[in-house]
Structures are given as structure tokens and as C-alpha cells.
Amino acid sequence: MMLSLLAVVALIWAQTRKRFDGLFLLVVCMFAQLLGITLIALRGLIPDFASVILANGFVVGGAMLAFVGLEKFIGLKSSYVKHYVLFSMFLILHIILTYIFPSQELRNMNVALSLLIISVQNANLMFFRVPESMRKITAPMGYVFVFIVFIGIVRLLKFFFAGFSDSEYFHSGQFEVYVALMFQIAYFLLIFFLVMMINRRLLDEIGAQEEKFSKAFKHSPYGIIISSLNEGRIIEINEGYELMTGYKGSEVVGSTTISTNFWMNEGDREAFVQALNKSGKVIDNVIQFRKANNELMTVELSSEIIYINNEKCVLSALNDITEKKKAEYELHKSQQMLRRFASHLQTVGEEEKIMLATQIDNELNQTLVALKMDIGNLKQKLKNAEANSITEELLQKLDDVYKVVGNSLGFSLKLMSNLRNEVLYMMGFVDALKLYVSDFCKNYPAIKCHVKIGVLAAQPDQKQSTMLYRIFESAMSNVVMHSKATEVRISLRMISNELELEIADNGVGFLYNELMEHTSHGLMLMRERTSLLDGKMFIASEPGEGTIVKIMVTLT
């Protein structure tokens, strides 16, 4: 019988070990009890130490482990010092009563008293120490322990008034046979009520989980719907779903999501079901649904396959992001307007620079050139006149004026060049890039430049050329100021209808992330200028690996 009880307890532990603590100690307890009874049965065939000391030690120690296991199962914890003291006293006394003052009667009394103390502790645990919410499920085991206490008290009273006559453990006459039978019944009842207690706790936990799920389901701010996978039959919806969509549970439960006109079209649901069947879940899928009033809403849909009564169902959570999408759209529109405005300002600025440079060229420069020529002619005429009528001072004044006009003309030409890159204005972006690289190599001989220009099927217009040139200037300036590079490679080519400009150096590099662009004015300005062209800018850099800047612009 003990072997059967051990198998039952071991099976319970195997099935619930991840849910409840302490059950493994009950398995050890049953094993110790079985081992102890087996050793007792072998008394006379094995040494007394094994059949007396170890056997009874297993019986009493197993009972103590059962108490500790029940404490853990209930969720309580106490000091184990008293158990160590009780077990030590029991063993010492049993050894004394076996080898120094041999007495079967006193050994039986020692065992009975130890088991009685442990049983009293168990009864106290089941009735008083256990939380009040669990007393209903622990009370039956408490009554069994009270029954065991009663048996122990009767045995002790029998000892005091009649004594033990037989030296065989549990077989000291007819009374001890009845006692052994009562213990077997008590053990059976303990296991039976233990199973009942575990099942009740499982039911209570399942009920608590259901209650938590029910509350979370009903009161979640997200719309939650449970439907069958194949048909889309609506099983349950929560309050959030009702508020979000306008559908009432009483109206749609039992219907399908297609018949309620929830999906925009059947194709959307088919794609959704295919994705679920493929991976078992869908996370944050942005999709549009219809409300009860036929308004459209944009939601983030997260779904997972669950099983209800062996039927494949779908648990879906909907997060309404309609307003968020509207705000994103308005923000995008605002950004586009700002970029167009910035592009217009940039274009107007460049056009004004060109116009100003043209005016300087057409008016101021031509006037200065004419004035310089007139002064030169006047000086020549004066030289050809009578020498005694022209003083050296006058000639010197003419030379000074001639130099001032020449310097003014040079400054004017420089100013005009700064306002309007003549090569870019007259010959286009490619020639301006070549000239810039040529001047760059002369100014920074320590940095070797390699230029590779492919066949361009189209040329950037004036606005694109100006922006690209400014971006190129910024990138080359970064090479000089920050990269510590000894080599830079410049590539210009066409990919389909896109112009790709790449500047790659072998410098120190840096740990790039997009947040850097908000603190680096140079990178931010390059990014914005690229955006004004509706282009794309890519930056790749690692410490010690150099930097690559790539600009891609669609040519119109």
C-alpha cells in the first residue's frame, strides 16, 4: 500500500512541480516511510543499527519532511531549528535505548511521542497557521492529523497503563495491529485529502486567473475581440472594442467579421489569416477597419492563435491610431511645406546672389575697367605732352589712382565669384566639381584625391547643381577639419535616373548615429539641403574605418 501511495504522490508532484512548492518533500517523506517500514520488516536479518536506528530515523525524519513540505505548499515558512533539535534528541535517545539501556518499550514510546509532536504541529498548521482563505481546503487534512494525534495519545496511554509486551515494531499484540491499521487508513486519507487539496488549489488558481483575465479583457483600453479563425465568427468582444467601433456585443456575437462589414474587403482578412497560419501571431499590423457608422479607422492589430474547446480561434487586440495617423499626416504636410518654403528661400537667395553678381559684372566691373583704361590713356597722353608742363607728383597721383581702380576691380571680381561660382554658373556641376578638386589638391597636398566620373545621361539643373555643390563643399570641408584623412575618393555616376555622389575618406571615422545630426550643424545642413532636392543622404562611419557620405538625387 505504501508503494502505491508513493506512486500517487510522485505523480502529483510530477504534474504540479512548476506550480506548487513543497510537494517534492512529500515524495521524499513517502519514500522515507516506505524505506523505514521495509528495514523494520527485515529486523533479525540485518544489523540492529539499520533495522532500529535507521528505520525509525527514516519514519520520524520523513514525517518532519512532510511537515516542512506542507508549510511550503501553503506558502509559510518557519525556523527549522526546533525540527533539528527534536530529530537530534530522538536519534540520541533511540541510540541510548538500543545500545546502552536496551528497551523496546521505551523505543516504541520514543517513536510514538516524536510522531505525536509532529502530528500536533501538522494539525496546528492545517487549522490555525494556514491563511484564512485556505482553511476550507486544508481542514480535511487537519481532521486526519487530529485522528493521528488521537491514535498517538491512545498508544501512549496504553504504554503507561499496560506497557508493551512484544518486541516486534507495530506487531505488539492485537492492539498494535489495530494501531497499524489505523495508521494505514490515516495515510490513505492524508493522500486522498492531499489530492483534493491540490485540485482545489488548482481550481482556485484557475478561477483567479480567469477573473484576472476577465477583468483585463473587459476593462482594457484596447479593443479586444475573440473570433474563430476559419469563419471569423465573433465569440466575445470587450467594452474597449464596443467604444472603439460602435458595435455592441449583443448585436455582433455569433456573427462573422465579414457579415458585420468590419473588414474593408475579404482579401484583407484572407491575408490576415494566412499570416496567422504561417507564424501563429501578428504583431502591430497597421490596417483600416470600418466602424458601425461606416467611418474608417486605422488600427494597430496584434493577434495570436488560441484554442477554445479544441477549435482554432484568434485573440486580437486593436489600438486605434486614427488620430495619431492624422497628426503624423499633418506633421508631414507641415514639414513638406517648410521644406518647400526653405527650398524657395534657398532658390531666391541663390538667384539674388546671381543677379547681384551679374549686376556687379555688368555695371560695376565694366565701369571700373573703363575707368582704368581712361586713366591709363590719360597718363599716356600726359607723358606725350611737354615734359616741363607735367610734374612728377601728378604722374604719381595718376599711378596711385590707377592701382586703386585695379585693386577695386580685383575685389569686385572676387566678390562676384563668391556670389556666383562662374564655372558652376557657366559650365555646370561636373566642371565645377573638377575645378574644386583641382584647387583642393593644391591647397591640401597631404590629402590625395581620386575622382571617378561616370557617363551621365542627364545633367542636374541650376537649382540641383547649386545644392549639390554646397553639399559637396561641406563634405570636403569635413574631410579637412575632422577626418585626418590622407586619401579621399570622389565618385559621380548615374544609377537609372538618379545621380549618385559619393565622398569616401580613409580618416579616423566616428561612431555615427542619427542623433548626431541634431548636434552637428554641418551634417544637419547637408541633410536638409538633400531633403530640399527630395534626395537621400547616407552616412557610414566607424572609428578607425573612415567615413562614406553618399548623396542620391533624382534628375528631372
Side-chain angles (χ1 to χ4, degrees):
M1 183 178 175
M2 289 297 294
L3 186 60
S4 300
L5 295 178
L6 172 61
V8 171
V9 175
L11 182 62
I12 294 171
W13 166 76
Q15 292 177 341
T16 61
R17 64 184 183 276
K18 293 182 179 179
R19 187 178 292 270
F20 301 125
D21 292 330
L23 295 182
F24 178 70
L25 293 177
L26 297 181
V27 176
V28 176
C29 161
M30 295 302 299
F31 180 77
Q33 296 281 331
L34 178 62
L35 187 58
I37 292 173
T38 302
L39 292 175
I40 290 171
L42 295 174
R43 185 173 297 177
L45 301 176
I46 58 175
D48 288 346
F49 180 80
S51 64
V52 177
I53 306 300
L54 287 182
N56 289 287
F58 282 132
V59 171
V60 174
M64 288 183 177
L65 288 176
F67 173 74
V68 175
L70 288 173
E71 271 192 328
K72 289 180 176 294
F73 175 79
I74 291 169
L76 299 177
K77 188 177 181 180
S78 62
S79 174
Y80 300 140
V81 174
K82 58 186 177 182
H83 302 297
Y84 298 143
V85 172
L86 176 62
F87 188 68
S88 300
M89 290 177 61
F90 164 79
L91 283 180
I92 292 170
L93 192 57
H94 224 65
I95 291 171
I96 292 172
L97 295 176
T98 301
Y99 295 108
I100 300 177
F101 303 107
S103 172
Q104 177 67 51
E105 292 84 356
L106 291 178
R107 287 202 304 269
N108 288 342
M109 181 180 176
N110 186 31
V111 173
L113 183 60
S114 299
L115 292 176
L116 176 63
I117 293 172
I118 297 170
S119 297
V120 169
Q121 288 181 323
N122 279 316
N124 179 60
L125 175 65
M126 295 294 105
F127 283 120
F128 302 107
R129 290 183 57 206
V130 69
E132 188 173 353
S133 60
M134 293 183 63
R135 285 179 187 172
K136 287 184 178 180
I137 64 174
T138 60
M141 286 194 70
Y143 290 123
V144 177
F145 282 119
V146 169
F147 177 63
I148 294 174
V149 170
F150 173 75
I151 296 173
I153 293 174
V154 170
R155 288 189 72 201
L156 290 175
L157 291 175
K158 172 71 168 56
F159 171 78
F160 281 117
F161 290 105
F164 293 105
S165 59
D166 198 338
S167 61
E168 291 293 325
Y169 190 77
F170 283 157
H171 295 85
S172 301
Q174 189 175 9
F175 174 79
E176 288 299 319
V177 171
Y178 287 137
V179 168
L181 180 61
M182 291 300 102
F183 270 116
Q184 293 295 316
I185 294 173
Y187 279 128
F188 176 79
L189 291 175
L190 281 176
I191 300 304
F192 175 77
F193 288 123
L194 174 65
V195 173
M196 297 297 292
M197 183 170 65
I198 291 173
N199 287 340
R200 183 61 184 273
R201 276 201 65 181
L202 284 171
L203 290 173
D204 288 346
E205 287 200 2
I206 291 172
Q209 293 291 337
E210 285 182 350
E211 184 180 2
K212 286 192 291 185
F213 173 77
S214 178
K215 287 181 178 179
F217 181 84
K218 289 180 179 178
H219 304 298
S220 171
Y222 296 99
I224 302 178
I225 176 174
I226 300 175
S227 60
S228 62
L229 178 63
N230 294 328
E231 303 170 356
R233 177 174 46 83
I234 298 172
I235 299 172
E236 192 171 356
I237 62 175
N238 73 336
E239 295 174 0
Y241 185 90
E242 291 181 348
L243 293 173
M244 186 183 298
T245 64
Y247 291 103
K248 298 298 181 184
S250 58
E251 299 170 352
V252 298
V253 170
S255 305
T256 66
T257 53
I258 294 294
S259 65
T260 55
N261 207 28
F262 184 59
W263 293 89
M264 292 288 292
N265 55 71
E266 291 189 27
D268 288 345
R269 187 178 187 279
E270 289 174 1
F272 168 72
V273 171
Q274 287 177 0
L276 274 177
N277 283 324
K278 183 178 180 180
S279 60
K281 60 183 177 180
V282 172
I283 304 296
D284 292 338
N285 184 25
V286 178
I287 194 169
Q288 282 194 320
F289 290 124
R290 267 195 205 91
K291 296 184 179 181
N293 59 5
N294 282 327
E295 287 184 7
L296 296 181
M297 66 175 181
T298 305
V299 302
E300 284 180 339
L301 176 65
S302 297
S303 303
E304 188 165 347
I305 293 177
I306 61 174
Y307 288 87
I308 300 176
N309 297 326
N310 295 322
E311 181 184 8
K312 259 188 180 183
C313 297
V314 183
L315 174 64
S316 299
L318 288 73
N319 180 23
D320 188 355
I321 58 171
T322 306
E323 296 302 320
K324 176 185 174 183
K325 285 295 180 182
K326 286 181 180 177
E328 287 178 354
Y329 175 72
E330 293 298 326
L331 178 61
H332 179 71
K333 251 176 46 173
S334 175
Q335 288 176 337
Q336 290 297 105
M337 289 177 63
L338 285 173
R339 280 180 177 157
R340 283 198 296 269
F341 181 63
S343 177
H344 175 69
L345 290 179
Q346 182 80 19
T347 302
V348 169
E350 293 294 336
E351 288 175 352
E352 287 183 349
K353 287 180 181 179
I354 292 172
M355 183 179 67
L356 182 58
T358 302
Q359 289 177 347
I360 291 173
D361 186 31
N362 292 339
E363 298 178 14
L364 181 59
N365 287 352
Q366 291 181 19
T367 302
L368 288 173
V369 170
L371 181 60
K372 186 176 180 182
M373 291 176 62
D374 289 342
I375 293 172
N377 291 333
L378 178 60
K379 182 179 178 182
Q380 190 62 39
K381 289 179 180 181
L382 290 174
K383 282 185 177 181
N384 294 334
E386 295 181 3
N388 56 1
S389 62
I390 303 302
T391 64
E392 287 295 328
E393 183 180 358
L394 180 58
L395 290 175
Q396 185 61 43
K397 289 290 184 183
L398 286 173
D399 287 337
D400 292 341
V401 172
Y402 186 82
K403 288 180 182 179
V404 170
V405 172
N407 291 336
S408 298
L409 180 59
F411 178 76
S412 175
L413 291 171
K414 184 178 179 181
L415 178 61
M416 183 185 69
S417 178
N418 289 336
L419 290 172
R420 183 188 71 188
N421 188 298
E422 288 300 305
V423 177
L424 180 65
Y425 180 69
M426 300 295 295
M427 302 183 66
F429 174 70
V430 175
D431 289 319
L433 183 145
K434 291 178 180 177
L435 181 61
Y436 182 95
V437 172
S438 176
D439 292 339
F440 183 92
C441 293
K442 292 176 183 176
N443 295 328
Y444 305 101
I447 303 176
K448 294 181 180 179
C449 296
H450 305 276
V451 181
K452 183 179 180 180
I453 299 177
V455 177
L456 304 183
Q459 296 290 332
D461 58 27
Q462 187 63 48
K463 173 186 172 182
Q464 291 174 324
S465 295
T466 303
M467 289 288 189
L468 284 170
Y469 189 78
R470 300 301 181 202
I471 295 169
F472 177 68
E473 280 184 323
S474 297
M476 296 300 288
S477 176
N478 287 336
V479 171
V480 173
M481 296 174 62
H482 306 295
S483 73
K484 299 181 182 178
T486 59
E487 187 176 9
V488 59
R489 295 183 178 275
I490 300 140
S491 169
L492 186 66
R493 61 176 180 167
M494 288 286 294
I495 302 177
S496 186
N497 64 334
E498 285 190 326
L499 181 68
E500 180 188 274
L501 172 64
E502 183 178 291
I503 303 100
D505 66 61
N506 66 343
V508 295
F510 59 95
L511 193 60
Y512 172 76
N513 60 71
E514 292 184 1
L515 291 178
M516 290 187 62
E517 293 186 18
H518 297 285
T519 57
S520 172
H521 297 297
L523 293 177
M524 185 168 60
L525 186 58
M526 289 169 65
R527 176 77 67 182
E528 286 303 315
R529 281 176 168 161
T530 304
S531 298
L532 292 176
L533 295 174
D534 293 324
K536 293 171 286 187
M537 183 175 84
F538 304 97
I539 298 176
S541 185
E542 291 290 341
E545 299 295 330
T547 302
I548 298 174
V549 177
K550 186 182 292 186
I551 311 296
M552 300 186 73
V553 176
T554 301
L555 299 183
T556 55

